């Protein structure tokens, strides 16, 4: 995996958890708006909107650079629209990055032995 691909995956991973948290907070704020006088929906809506747009931009970049198949690319997008999906995306991306590091080390060791 080249450095640009690793960077794209890292950016997507770093924005996925905050995007999920903002989505959950927006849902809580929506409930509070309807049950109390507390209305933080405009603020949380804006925060979540910015994070979601960043997620989509980083998702497109990662899909392009990592050359995911359609199933993997769509999975990461679907995870972005589920309330806790960003947490699952972050864990899956972390595992993918760790697997890539292990594979590159194995490749490097094989190249040194040859």
């Amino acid at each position: 995996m080249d450095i640009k691909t690793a960077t794209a995956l890292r950016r997507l991973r770093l924005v996925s958890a905050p995007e999920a948290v903002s989505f959950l907070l927006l849902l809580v704020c929506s409930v509070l708006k309807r049950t109390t006088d507390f209305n933080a929906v405009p603020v949380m809506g804006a925060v979540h909107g910015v994070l979601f747009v960043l997620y989509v931009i980083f998702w497109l970049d990662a899909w392009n650079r990592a050359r995911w198949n359609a199933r993997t690319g769509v999975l990461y997008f679907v995870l972005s629209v589920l309330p806790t999906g960003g947490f699952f995306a972050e864990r899956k991306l972390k595992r993918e990055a760790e697997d890539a590091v292990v594979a590159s080390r194995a490749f490097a060791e094989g190249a040194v032995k040859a």
Side-chain angles (χ1 to χ4, degrees):
M1 177 182 307
D2 67 337
I3 191 74
K4 289 185 179 184
T5 303
T7 302
L9 292 175
R10 184 170 186 268
R11 275 193 309 247
L12 180 60
R13 192 178 126 230
L14 289 176
V15 79
S16 63
E19 190 272 336
V21 169
S22 73
F23 194 178
L24 292 173
L25 288 174
L26 180 59
L27 292 175
V28 169
C29 288
S30 295
V31 170
L32 289 174
K33 176 183 175 183
R34 283 154 181 52
T35 58
T36 66
D37 291 335
F38 183 74
N39 183 12
V41 171
V43 173
M44 278 313 303
V47 169
H48 175 66
V50 167
L51 288 171
F52 181 74
V53 168
L54 285 174
Y55 185 96
V56 170
I57 290 168
F58 295 158
W59 166 75
L60 286 169
D61 186 39
W63 190 354
N64 182 41
R65 292 189 187 279
R67 306 228 185 272
W68 290 327
N69 59 28
R71 182 174 182 251
T72 302
V74 169
L75 171 68
Y76 282 118
F77 184 78
V78 168
L79 288 174
S80 76
V81 297
L82 298 175
T84 57
F87 299 120
F88 294 106
E90 193 274 335
R91 287 178 53 202
K92 189 166 174 51
L93 287 163
K94 183 176 181 181
R95 264 187 264 130
E96 189 175 325
E98 289 169 352
D99 292 345
V101 168
V102 169
S104 68
R105 285 183 182 161
F107 178 75
E109 288 175 5
V112 170
K113 290 179 182 178

